[in-house]
C-alpha cells in the first residue's frame, strides 16, 4: 500500500489486494468499494476499474483494511 506506484512491489500488491477482495470482499452487483485516493471507499467499481485506479492514483493514505 505504501510502495511507490511505479514499482514491482506496488504492482504485486495491487494484484494481491484484488485477489483478496474478490475472495473475501462484499460484492455489490459485481462491484467492490474502491480504496484509491479519489474514491476513498466511497464508490463501487469493477475490479478492473479498481486496478486502474490503484495503479494510476494509488491507495488512499488512510486505507488500512
Amino acid at each position: 500500500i505504501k510502495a511507490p506506484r511505479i514499482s514491482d512491489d506496488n504492482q504485486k500488491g495491487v494484484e494481491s489486494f484484488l485477489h483478496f477482495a474478490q475472495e473475501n470482499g462484499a460484492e455489490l452487483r459485481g462491484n467492490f468499494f474502491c480504496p484509491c485516493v479519489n474514491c476513498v471507499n466511497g464508490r463501487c467499481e469493477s475490479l478492473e476499474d479498481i486496478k486502474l485506479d490503484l495503479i494510476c492514483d494509488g491507495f488512499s493514505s488512510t486505507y488500512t483494511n
Side-chain angles (χ1 to χ4, degrees), residues 2-50:
K2 304 278 187 224
R5 287 193 324 264
I6 306 172
S7 68
D8 289 338
D9 285 341
N10 185 60
Q11 180 69 29
K12 290 175 187 173
V14 167
E15 294 292 339
S16 178
F17 170 81
L18 295 172
H19 177 74
F20 183 85
Q22 187 171 23
E23 296 294 319
N24 301 291
E27 184 178 341
L28 302 167
R29 290 182 243 149
N31 294 321
F32 299 84
F33 286 102
C34 180
C36 82
V37 169
N38 296 318
C39 297
V40 195
N41 272 347
R43 293 186 197 145
C44 288
E45 298 188 7
S46 70
L47 289 176
E48 189 60 33
D49 287 342
I50 293 171

